[in-house]
Amino acid sequence: MAAAAVSVSSAGSLLAMLQEPAPELKLHALASLNSLVHAFWPEISTSVIDIESLYEDGESDQRQLAALLASKVFFYLADFKSALTYALGAGSLFDVSDDSDYTQTLLAKALDEYATIRSMASGATEEEKTIDPRLEAIVERMLDKCISDGKYQQAMGMAVECRRLDKLEVAISQCDNMHGALSYCINLSHQYVSHREYRCEILHCLAKIYLDSSDPDFLSICQCLMFLNEPDTVATILNGLLIASEDDALFAYQIAFDLVENENQAFLLDVRNHLDALRASASTDLDSAQASSNDQTVNAAAEPSGDVQMRDDATMPSSPLTVDPNDSVQADRLTKIKGILSGETSIQLTLQFLYSHNRSDLLILKTIKQAVETRNSVCHSATICSNAIMHAGTTVDTFLRENLEWLGRATNWAKFSATAGLGVIHRGHLQQGRALMAPYLPPDGAVGSASPYSEGGALYALGLIHANHGEGIKQFLRESLRNTSNEVVQHGACLGLGLAALGTADEEICEDIKNVLYTDSAVAGEAAGIGMGLLLVGTASEKATEMLAYAHDTQHEKIIRGLALGIALTVYGREEEADTLIEQMTRDQDPILRYGGMYALALAYRGTANNKAIHQLLHFAVSDVSDDVRRTAVLALGFVLYNEPEQTPKIVSLLSESYNPHVRYGAALAVGISCAGTGSSEAISLLEPLMSDVVDFVRQGALIAMAMVMIQTNESYDSRVGTFRRQLEKIILDKHEDTMSKMGAILASGILDAGGRNVTIKLKSRSKHDKLTAVIGLAIFTQFWYWYPLTYFISLAFSPTALIGLNSDLKVPKFEFLSNAKPSLFDYPKPTTQQATATSVKLPAAILSTYAKAKSRAKKEAESKAQEKAESKVQEKAAAPSSEDASAASTSMQVDGAAEKKAPEPEPTFQILSNPARVVPAQEKFIKFLQGSRYEPVKAAPSGFILLRDLKPTEAEELVLSDAPATATTNAAPAEQGSASAAMAVDEEPQPPQPFEFTS
Amino acid sequence: MDPKLTEVAQMFARFKAAYSRNDLDACVTLLSQLKVHLTKFPSLPPLFQQTPNAVEELKLARDIYEHAVVLSVKLEDQDAFERDFCQLKPYYMDACGIIPPSPEEYPILGLNLLRLLVQNRIAEFHTELELLPVKALEHPCIKHAVELEQSFMEGAYNRVLSARQAVPHETYVYFMDLLAKTVRDEIAGCSEKGYDSLSISDAKQMLMFSSDQELHQYITEEHPEWEIKNGCVFFQKAKESQPCKEIPSLQLINQTLSYARELERIV
């Protein structure tokens, strides 16, 4: 047998055999073809009809083989649907465990098919029957195989996609690393499950598994439960942890901090109330339990771990029956956790951090102030606003104080804004907010003696101070709203109330605001619309329909716009539930309501990257007749995509080259919103050309967006940050620049250095949930297009870039950790002092007035030449050697910096940071906790609030922050030292600054 | 020798006996049994496994299929011919390295060519021809088929008909008879295109019919659209029935409009 490898050259003979009358021959032919199909499928495909007919009316043993053969042929022909149908017909001959392309592809197809059927069936429950049992069997076989092979992640993914929660449960419970599996599933459900109801189902299932497990991960469970809105369960868990050991209490605090970070005010309120209720029922039970049975007491005391109690509501009440001395400890812990849940603890700590670490650069503001023409009120207000943003939450108002006369030029609405700006500066100053604003607030009872503009602004400012934490101020704002009939004051009060009572859906407040709305005053009505929206955020209440009806009734465009935005706010995060309302709004005749519809889409699908929403927005972005709607549609993409910031530049890159400037503006802001705080290189590349656009407002948008993207990044991280800073300065100093882009540049410099260079814009909490206040804040901020005072809403989106470690007393102990990167990479930008002064001094010389020319001509020629040379060097920012000539005095900052950089020894590659420390988002991955330090973090998170476990509890603790504000106060505002020192002893917060009046 | 092989060989001997007796029914039953038996040999196509008896088995199988082809000609069953020939082909094409060529190879290939010609499957005819080596064309059986095709294409139908007298193999007679019919169909097709009408006598001569009656029968069976009138055959109707191509204006307008709409949307 020399001729070894002989093979057939054609399948013709076998195909001919198929035609034979004898069934044995047919079977033989089928079997042979089946083994050769990979080579001869083109030939076989011509007679696939014969094979199909064999499947349909052949004898039983032929049928399955024929089906398998037909399936393979269709697979090669890329007709996967038919291939799958026949593969199902092949029954057991279709081998799931096979590793060939054919099997893999068909299995994928089968899964897809099954998943689509399942998700369709969930819509209409009657359709359940239509699922092919064979298909189901195949999918189940696959799932079982994955589980038994240990490919749990695959199994979980498939189970989620196919809506088989039973299988998901099996996969998780069999998995060796259950915590990993559960967190994987939570991620999965947030990222890939676009259907809200189903996501809730999954999370329910996960929470159940979590609670049943022997060693539950309460951090994750509580996040889950928050999404599911089950405050009672969270309260039970927290209570259980609190009454247990010290460590567990730390854990409870950590959970509470994490929950607060998600900024869901209504939910946190509920948790707090449930905690109270649990306590109350526990104490009443105490008496009855002591009277009736003793063994229960023993039981509870014997279970110090608390694990059992928290799962079982029945044993819950008996748990606090522990020994008496514990009672005071318990009460103390309860107050602490309630403090955390109310948000006060974190706000206070943030305030201290921002105050003590404030690094804002007043010289930038000074430059802006000098460059801006005073009669130009747009730029004037923008500067005030920029100052407010720059000092957001730091309580430092030195700039305003030093420039009272200049500030007094703000009149009417500018005055309103200026006063409101104080609210941004003092944001979070909960205790003393009202005292701070007192000079501007309407006097009790009497009709406003001060200007209504400053009164309204003050009310708005109070709202900003108490944003999302308005328990203490609600009543006052309501009274102010009722006692006034001035529309400006009403305007401020509505905004303030909306902010303070954000998302609480308080009926009484709603009634008050509605009364204002029905006065049909344009100014007050606009704020009332927004205020109502803020109040009802995310409730999807039927009040939205009422608002929509009124929007159709009223004649005032302002009111319609306010209401449209308000309606959009009510559907925040409701996804599919909001579809009817969105449909109604986007089909409306009125472009303003369609515009509101875009916001509704943006907010309902915020951060979901939902394909349907993106599709709809893109459609409106290119096809609507109104420029406003198109602009908003593009901008809304930023909100829908903020959880995948790397996608946005790709999606809007074409739109950013649109012929329509409104679309370009929208594209810029969309990138700004979704890539905010990322410093993403693609985003910067997309925005750069837009900064030199021909249309002024596009430049404005691009500058603001760029600042949002670059916030908290410095020049050594991306060199374009430095370029951008210089460009901003250039635009501000340029006399011929358009007002619009100048305003953009001023605001951008404020945003770039926001919050004393210690905050970033974050729309997502660390647990990947959306931060409600931040998203809402940015959405309303984008309204500044129509109404400048709304610019202040951006302060809601700021979150501090800090790592704050806390001990069990919620104090800040001395604690050090490591940042494993070069310090310069994440350092504060260098103060611009010298350069700023140099340029501002040089400027008159550069103008070359005739007087200066005459003077210079009079001087010696050589001297003037030397001078010019020096000047040109400064302008070009060339790194000239500093020892050149007499003009060294005027060398720019850059030169100094460069010289300094070269001289010192090489930079260390790590940095020891001490608690509390500034940790910018990009730095987070370099953070390491030191081994062998006294404190150990409860949760290894690289930023935010972290509870520290004290490993040497007996030693005396060294606290850090408690005295920091006092010294800082001395530095920042020495004038008030005298009055401050007395109050400092009782209050850790920085002192309220002295009130000041507008001079005119 | 392998018992299976012996059994098949014996059965084949019985088949040959029946064949030589001209007992065709017995032949058909035996043949189908033989084919089933053949599927059990792994050395046969498409597997070509190297068993010790591979050569004998291949030779035997080839022999069986050769006989099957000839039998189908005898039965005048064209489908069976095609089936059997297709199954025989791998023995010629793919197994030529293992077993010596068969003496029957070229006659049967020629027969197949002839069949394709009869069925007017000219494309397949040429495909088959291309697969043959150059020296095969010298073989009288192949040469016969090739010449027939050439005359057929040239339109030298008389030469085609006269070739019946010079068949190289007795099995060819059946197909040569059928060829006359193919030629007539060809002529009928050409005259339909070439003439508007023909007188009955001309048509009779053209289509090689000896009587008017035969012509009438042919027309009613094969070309009912032809019309016989005034002693002439009219082909007009067939031409008219062809649908004229119409411009799909509405569709085009729609398409253009949608392009325009899309263009407007482009950003």
Side-chain angles (χ1 to χ4, degrees):
Chain A
M1 290 299 150
V6 184
S7 64
V8 276
S9 56
S10 149
S13 64
L14 292 166
L15 289 173
M17 205 185 273
L18 271 186
Q19 312 291 337
E20 293 279 357
E24 292 94 335
L25 287 175
K26 282 184 183 169
L27 200 60
H28 175 73
L30 282 175
S32 311
L33 282 173
N34 191 31
S35 60
L36 291 171
V37 68
H38 60 277
F40 294 112
W41 60 267
E43 249 180 299
I44 301 172
S45 65
T46 52
S47 34
V48 77
I49 297 166
D50 298 326
I51 301 170
E52 282 176 288
S53 63
L54 269 179
Y55 165 65
E56 266 142 34
D57 25 64
E59 284 156 44
S60 60
D61 47 346
Q62 291 173 3
R63 290 180 56 120
Q64 295 200 336
L65 199 54
L68 184 65
L69 182 60
S71 161
K72 283 187 181 175
V73 173
F74 279 120
F75 161 71
Y76 285 114
L77 291 174
D79 180 358
F80 297 128
K81 207 168 164 58
S82 313
L84 182 61
T85 322
Y86 281 107
L88 291 177
S92 58
L93 286 180
F94 180 65
D95 183 10
V96 192
S97 58
D98 193 12
D99 205 27
S100 65
D101 276 353
Y102 161 73
T103 328
Q104 297 299 323
T105 316
L106 278 202
L107 283 180
K109 182 75 194 164
L111 270 180
D112 280 354
E113 182 85 15
Y114 184 68
T116 29
I117 295 177
R118 287 286 294 190
S119 49
M120 272 181 357
S122 73
T125 43
E126 297 305 306
E127 303 289 300
E128 284 278 338
K129 295 169 226 150
T130 56
I131 295 189
D132 192 336
R134 298 172 300 180
L135 189 63
E136 193 146 29
I138 285 195
V139 174
E140 276 180 17
R141 256 194 284 168
M142 294 249 311
L143 283 170
D144 291 340
K145 199 178 137 265
C146 277
I147 294 173
S148 62
D149 288 359
K151 295 176 188 157
Y152 297 108
Q153 294 207 339
Q154 282 187 16
M156 284 182 268
M158 287 196 304
V160 167
E161 191 146 332
C162 300
R163 306 197 170 215
R164 291 293 299 263
L165 295 183
D166 50 333
K167 290 285 172 196
L168 183 67
E169 229 175 302
V170 174
I172 295 176
S173 57
Q174 291 194 357
C175 182
D176 34 6
N177 173 15
M178 204 161 99
H179 288 306
L182 283 169
S183 55
Y184 174 78
C185 281
I186 291 180
N187 255 338
L188 208 67
S189 59
H190 283 295
Q191 281 189 329
Y192 298 108
V193 180
S194 56
H195 200 266
R196 186 181 148 95
E197 261 173 59
Y198 177 53
R199 194 185 308 145
C200 284
E201 264 175 58
I202 298 179
L203 290 177
H204 261 301
C205 171
L206 292 177
K208 204 182 89 202
I209 303 173
Y210 261 132
L211 287 173
D212 289 345
S213 70
S214 53
D215 170 30
D217 174 5
F218 290 116
L219 279 176
S220 312
I221 299 179
C222 290
Q223 296 289 344
C224 253
L225 292 171
M226 194 205 70
F227 186 82
L228 295 171
N229 200 9
E230 288 184 10
D232 44 339
T233 330
V234 175
T236 320
I237 292 176
L238 287 178
N239 195 25
L241 286 170
L242 282 182
I243 54 175
S245 70
E246 176 87 18
D247 277 358
D248 280 346
L250 275 183
F251 219 70
Y253 300 151
Q254 182 71 62
I255 291 174
F257 272 120
D258 286 1
L259 290 178
V260 169
E261 211 203 333
N262 295 324
E263 299 178 340
N264 195 338
Q265 187 178 208
F267 178 78
L268 295 171
L269 265 176
D270 281 348
V271 173
R272 233 154 61 209
N273 293 339
H274 277 286
L275 266 178
D276 276 341
L278 278 173
R279 265 314 142 106
S281 71
S283 56
T284 52
D285 270 23
L286 187 78
D287 309 327
S288 57
Q290 272 176 343
S292 59
S293 72
N294 260 350
D295 37 334
Q296 222 184 347
T297 327
V298 177
N299 260 342
E303 287 164 353
S305 78
D307 275 27
V308 186
Q309 287 98 318
M310 73 203 64
R311 256 178 282 137
D312 195 345
D313 275 319
T315 58
M316 209 53 240
S318 66
S319 39
L321 295 184
T322 37
V323 228
D324 276 336
N326 268 2
D327 263 6
S328 59
V329 180
Q330 300 292 327
D332 182 40
R333 285 181 185 169
L334 189 68
T335 1
K336 274 186 203 155
I337 200 146
K338 275 165 74 181
I340 301 174
L341 285 175
S342 70
E344 280 162 21
T345 317
S346 53
I347 289 176
Q348 200 177 335
L349 288 165
T350 310
L351 196 65
Q352 284 172 355
F353 169 79
L354 289 179
Y355 177 59
S356 57
H357 284 67
N358 175 28
R359 293 286 289 271
S360 61
D361 193 342
L362 285 178
L363 271 155
I364 295 182
L365 279 171
K366 213 167 166 185
T367 322
I368 297 175
K369 192 192 124 215
Q370 278 166 358
V372 163
E373 212 176 319
T374 42
R375 270 181 305 172
N376 187 339
S377 72
V378 172
C379 291
H380 186 260
S381 310
T383 315
I384 297 174
C385 180
S386 181
N387 167 53
I389 293 172
M390 240 184 234
H391 293 101
T394 61
T395 74
V396 174
D397 51 12
T398 331
F399 178 74
L400 296 180
R401 248 162 233 296
E402 284 172 1
N403 299 293
L404 282 179
E405 197 187 330
W406 171 81
L407 190 64
R409 290 199 190 106
T411 51
N412 297 338
W413 282 109
K415 193 179 228 171
F416 178 92
S417 305
T419 320
L422 282 175
V424 174
I425 295 178
H426 293 287
R427 176 163 185 241
H429 216 153
L430 297 189
Q431 273 84 17
Q432 292 173 2
R434 198 166 149 195
L436 274 167
M437 301 312 294
Y440 319 105
L441 287 171
D444 292 329
V447 187
S449 58
S451 143
Y453 291 103
S454 66
E455 282 179 17
L459 291 171
Y460 178 26
L462 274 181
L464 288 166
I465 292 176
H466 291 267
N468 207 14
H469 299 282
E471 280 306 286
I473 202 74
K474 272 198 307 210
Q475 201 51 39
F476 173 76
L477 285 170
R478 268 184 67 198
E479 274 164 24
S480 312
L481 180 63
R482 280 203 208 131
N483 291 339
T484 186
S485 54
N486 185 309
E487 55 177 12
V488 181
V489 181
Q490 280 176 337
H491 184 94
C494 283
L495 287 178
L497 260 180
L499 277 165
L502 189 75
T504 51
D506 190 314
E507 279 295 331
E508 290 177 9
I509 299 178
C510 193
E511 223 28 66
D512 285 345
I513 297 185
K514 211 190 285 172
N515 287 337
V516 176
L517 180 68
Y518 288 146
T519 57
D520 207 42
S521 131
V523 172
E526 182 184 32
I530 298 176
M532 265 181 98
L534 287 169
L535 194 65
L536 301 172
V537 158
T539 53
S541 79
E542 66 282 0
K543 293 214 177 66
T545 355
E546 215 174 299
M547 290 161 83
L548 193 61
Y550 190 69
H552 281 126
D553 280 348
T554 186
Q555 296 291 313
H556 296 288
E557 273 193 17
K558 266 173 160 307
I559 299 183
I560 301 175
R561 189 171 300 121
L563 282 170
L565 190 65
I567 298 167
L569 290 172
T570 62
V571 294
Y572 173 87
R574 307 305 288 214
E575 298 179 28
E576 288 85 2
E577 264 175 82
D579 280 353
T580 349
L581 193 67
I582 291 174
E583 182 78 15
Q584 230 175 327
M585 291 179 85
T586 51
R587 292 253 171 110
D588 207 282
Q589 292 266 303
D590 189 343
I592 303 179
L593 282 177
R594 288 206 300 280
Y595 156 91
M598 296 304 109
Y599 271 107
L601 260 173
L603 294 174
Y605 290 98
R606 83 282 168 269
T608 54
N610 184 302
N611 272 335
K612 204 183 84 196
I614 295 174
H615 190 259
Q616 227 170 332
L617 287 173
L618 284 174
H619 174 80
F620 279 102
V622 295
S623 63
D624 203 279
V625 286
S626 155
D627 278 339
D628 291 337
V629 179
R630 294 177 69 166
R631 184 184 67 236
T632 322
V634 185
L635 184 150
L637 281 172
F639 284 104
V640 177
L641 286 165
Y642 69 71
N643 67 339
E644 292 176 18
E646 61 287 346
Q647 292 291 332
T648 321
K650 281 182 227 159
I651 289 187
V652 299
S653 67
L654 265 182
L655 293 168
S656 75
E657 288 160 19
S658 162
Y659 71 93
N660 184 329
H662 288 267
V663 172
R664 292 202 298 273
Y665 176 90
L669 274 193
V671 171
I673 290 163
S674 67
C675 302
T678 58
S680 144
S681 177
E682 293 88 38
I684 296 175
S685 318
L686 188 134
L687 289 172
E688 260 179 343
L690 289 175
M691 286 200 304
S692 44
D693 201 275
V694 284
V695 181
D696 51 359
F697 65 79
V698 178
R699 287 200 298 276
Q700 180 193 54
L703 289 168
I704 292 174
M706 189 71 122
M708 287 164 76
V709 173
M710 284 183 174
I711 189 170
Q712 289 292 60
T713 48
N714 67 12
E715 199 169 353
S716 48
Y717 187 77
D718 190 330
S719 64
R720 288 178 288 187
V721 179
T723 328
F724 179 59
R725 278 181 188 277
R726 283 188 286 279
Q727 191 174 354
L728 283 181
E729 197 183 346
K730 210 184 115 231
I731 293 174
I732 292 168
L733 294 176
D734 186 354
K735 283 260 188 294
H736 304 289
E737 188 66 48
D738 288 303
T739 309
M740 288 295 266
S741 52
K742 212 170 215 179
M743 173 197 159
I746 296 171
L747 283 180
S749 8
I751 295 170
L752 201 56
D753 290 333
R757 295 182 169 166
N758 279 313
V759 298
T760 184
I761 298 176
K762 244 175 135 179
L763 300 179
K764 251 187 324 181
S765 70
R766 268 170 282 274
S767 49
K768 302 281 194 301
H769 287 273
D770 48 313
K771 294 178 74 161
L772 182 137
T773 332
V775 178
I776 298 291
L778 267 194
I780 302 180
F781 163 72
T782 55
Q783 288 288 305
F784 78 88
W785 175 275
Y786 296 105
W787 193 229
Y788 289 148
L790 295 177
T791 319
Y792 292 112
F793 267 86
I794 199 176
S795 68
L796 300 190
F798 293 148
S799 56
T801 50
L803 187 148
I804 302 178
L806 298 171
N807 63 9
S808 57
D809 290 331
L810 304 185
K811 296 272 187 306
V812 185
K814 218 177 171 93
F815 167 68
E816 289 189 330
F817 55 96
L818 187 76
S819 163
N820 217 346
K822 280 190 217 161
S824 74
L825 208 51
F826 305 112
D827 206 7
Y828 291 106
K830 289 184 192 67
T832 52
T833 40
Q834 262 177 321
Q835 188 193 7
T837 44
T839 359
S840 54
V841 170
K842 288 290 170 214
L843 209 63
I847 293 165
L848 291 177
S849 68
T850 42
Y851 171 71
K853 259 186 181 171
K855 212 179 174 187
S856 68
R857 251 185 246 120
K859 284 185 178 181
K860 273 185 191 172
E861 213 172 69
E863 200 181 307
S864 73
K865 260 184 188 167
Q867 184 101 19
E868 269 168 26
K869 208 166 133 194
E871 274 174 27
S872 68
K873 254 176 214 142
V874 176
Q875 299 291 48
E876 287 164 14
K877 299 186 162 94
S882 51
S883 61
E884 205 182 46
D885 58 356
S887 68
S890 65
T891 4
S892 71
M893 217 317 268
Q894 266 74 18
V895 180
D896 284 347
E900 268 171 25
K901 249 185 184 169
K902 274 173 216 158
E905 73 273 17
E907 209 185 353
T909 55
F910 64 92
Q911 185 183 19
I912 300 286
L913 299 172
S914 63
N915 186 28
R918 173 182 187 255
V919 176
V920 301
Q923 195 178 1
E924 285 177 3
K925 53 177 177 287
F926 299 108
I927 296 297
K928 296 255 166 15
F929 292 103
L930 296 168
Q931 292 286 317
S933 96
R934 176 174 169 180
Y935 296 97
E936 182 192 49
V938 172
K939 174 185 140 189
S943 68
F945 293 101
I946 294 174
L947 267 297
L948 301 171
R949 192 177 294 130
D950 193 350
L951 299 177
K952 296 172 194 158
T954 48
E955 288 172 33
E957 286 188 286
E958 234 185 307
L959 301 180
V960 182
L961 207 60
S962 56
D963 57 351
T967 55
T969 320
T970 334
N971 298 341
E976 39 183 279
Q977 179 64 17
S979 64
S981 53
M984 200 44 79
V986 272
D987 200 341
E988 284 178 2
E989 276 184 41
Q991 263 311 108
Q994 301 292 306
F996 57 89
E997 288 293 337
F998 292 110
T999 46
S1000 63
Chain B
M1 209 172 196
D2 189 43
K4 256 202 303 189
L5 185 60
T6 335
E7 192 196 335
V8 176
Q10 281 166 0
M11 199 185 269
F12 184 49
R14 264 186 283 146
F15 168 82
K16 276 204 254 191
Y19 180 76
S20 54
R21 290 204 299 280
N22 237 0
D23 181 358
L24 297 182
D25 287 344
C27 283
V28 171
T29 24
L30 277 170
L31 184 65
S32 64
Q33 282 172 14
L34 277 170
K35 282 183 181 168
V36 173
H37 278 292
L38 283 181
T39 61
K40 305 208 170 70
F41 292 113
S43 61
L44 301 186
L47 297 173
F48 287 121
Q49 274 178 19
Q50 298 194 11
T51 51
N53 298 319
V55 176
E56 281 75 26
E57 283 166 9
L58 279 171
K59 272 204 250 180
L60 182 66
R62 184 177 65 187
D63 218 5
I64 292 171
Y65 278 114
E66 278 171 353
H67 277 83
V69 169
V70 177
L71 179 69
S72 65
V73 175
K74 228 175 204 168
L75 291 169
E76 307 196 340
D77 182 348
Q78 289 191 39
D79 288 340
F81 178 89
E82 188 176 352
R83 265 205 316 269
D84 292 327
F85 177 76
C86 279
Q87 292 178 62
L88 176 60
K89 224 169 120 187
Y91 295 92
Y92 293 149
M93 297 292 165
D94 308 323
C96 55
I98 308 172
I99 46 174
S102 145
E104 292 297 311
E105 182 170 346
Y106 289 121
I108 288 185
L109 286 176
L111 203 57
N112 183 47
L113 288 175
L114 200 58
R115 172 186 68 95
L116 290 173
L117 207 53
V118 166
Q119 292 172 345
N120 214 358
R121 286 151 71 175
I122 305 298
E124 280 169 76
F125 176 91
H126 284 285
T127 316
E128 289 293 323
L129 207 58
E130 287 303 318
L131 288 174
L132 294 176
V134 183
K135 68 172 171 39
L137 297 180
E138 303 300 314
H139 194 278
C141 290
I142 308 290
K143 212 169 171 182
H144 177 72
V146 172
E147 276 168 4
L148 268 180
E149 192 264 351
Q150 276 164 358
S151 335
F152 194 56
M153 289 298 109
E154 282 165 21
Y157 295 128
N158 51 348
R159 245 192 286 158
V160 175
L161 295 178
S162 62
R164 190 189 183 285
Q165 274 71 47
V167 284
H169 200 273
E170 75 273 18
T171 47
Y172 281 45
V173 177
Y174 164 63
F175 284 117
M176 292 307 295
D177 287 340
L178 290 176
L179 198 55
K181 165 95 174 50
T182 312
V183 167
R184 187 170 294 130
D185 285 344
E186 235 1 69
I187 293 171
C190 290
S191 13
E192 204 175 65
K193 292 269 180 304
Y195 305 96
D196 287 341
S197 64
L198 268 181
S199 68
I200 287 192
S201 56
D202 287 344
K204 193 171 70 183
Q205 193 192 350
M206 194 82 88
L207 294 172
M208 295 169 292
F209 283 118
S210 43
S211 69
D212 285 7
Q213 202 190 348
E214 275 176 332
L215 179 68
H216 280 295
Q217 196 187 346
Y218 175 77
I219 289 175
T220 44
E221 274 173 19
E222 302 285 328
H223 296 281
E225 73 274 12
W226 290 359
E227 211 179 348
I228 303 172
K229 181 160 79 169
N230 308 334
C232 283
V233 182
F234 286 94
F235 306 113
Q236 205 61 37
K237 232 159 75 184
K239 280 181 189 166
E240 273 170 6
S241 66
Q242 278 181 351
C244 69
K245 277 197 185 149
E246 153 185 23
I247 301 168
S249 47
L250 215 57
Q251 191 193 343
L252 273 177
I253 292 170
N254 269 333
Q255 219 162 35
T256 323
L257 279 178
S258 81
Y259 286 152
R261 215 176 13 248
E262 293 292 320
L263 267 176
E264 241 171 44
R265 273 187 199 176
I266 292 173
V267 230

